[in-house]
Amino acid sequence: MSDKWDIRFLELAEHIARWSKDPSTKVGCVVVGEDREIRSTGFNGFPRGIEDNDGRLNDREKKYPLICHAEENAIMHAARIGVSLKGSTAFVTWPPCSRCARSLIQAGIREVVYSTKNKPPQRWEEDFKISTDMLLEAGINIRPIDLPE
């Protein structure tokens, strides 16, 4: 059962997602501790040193490996400032991909919450099935919730 805090954190993740540079992967992540304090945030973007006009970004096949995913950015930010994410909840705008699922498992996240209103592209459906299995196998609770319109 979702509560007002779930909705607020998911709305914040959606707001953060608007900062994503790649329009096809607008994902925001808010990592929240057990006492509802925000421990870290992240959004999809390019790693430091990659400019918008970088030639490597023109070819879509080469573009995706350069993108830092929202969940990974949140984990890296927490590591830089010395904040532990163990036992936290990750609120994300889409279910995590398999790459981010591995990072969430390693960071010790206990729960992943995402909105059901955002449908990921069909080309990633198989990857999302794999990531869901990975998270469940690691004992991470997955909680999709419906945001009010």
Side-chain angles (χ1 to χ4, degrees):
M1 181 78 174
S2 64
D3 63 14
K4 67 179 181 180
W5 289 102
D6 292 338
I7 293 167
R8 286 181 180 167
F9 289 132
L10 280 175
E11 287 172 343
L12 179 57
E14 286 195 342
H15 174 74
I16 290 169
R18 293 186 198 121
W19 302 337
S20 295
K21 288 186 178 182
D22 187 336
S24 71
T25 57
K26 285 198 175 291
V27 183
C29 176
V30 178
V31 183
V32 178
E34 293 178 20
D35 50 357
R36 292 193 181 123
E37 88 283 4
I38 296 174
R39 293 193 175 170
S40 189
T41 62
F43 60 94
N44 280 14
F46 306 132
R48 290 177 188 266
I50 303 294
E51 300 297 326
D52 289 338
N53 60 0
D54 190 305
R56 292 175 291 174
L57 301 178
N58 294 332
D59 180 25
R60 205 153 178 79
E61 293 304 310
K62 294 178 183 172
K63 185 174 185 178
Y64 284 104
L66 294 173
I67 291 175
C68 287
H69 294 204
E71 297 91 327
E72 291 179 322
N73 275 338
I75 291 166
M76 287 189 292
H77 176 256
R80 277 196 301 271
I81 61 174
V83 173
S84 171
L85 301 181
K86 190 169 179 64
S88 296
T89 299
F91 291 87
V92 290
T93 52
W94 288 1
C97 66
S98 57
R99 174 174 142 179
C100 289
R102 281 190 291 276
S103 297
L104 291 167
I105 292 165
Q106 290 171 348
I109 297 293
R110 71 172 172 82
E111 183 176 46
V112 174
V113 179
Y114 64 89
S115 169
T116 57
K117 82 174 191 178
N118 299 322
K119 298 295 179 211
Q122 188 174 3
R123 67 183 182 271
W124 294 338
E125 282 182 5
E126 186 61 34
D127 185 63
F128 286 131
K129 288 178 191 166
I130 292 168
S131 68
T132 299
D133 290 344
M134 289 170 59
L135 292 169
L136 291 172
E137 191 174 308
I140 295 174
N141 184 39
I142 302 171
R143 198 161 44 95
I145 66 169
D146 296 322
L147 284 180
E149 291 299 323

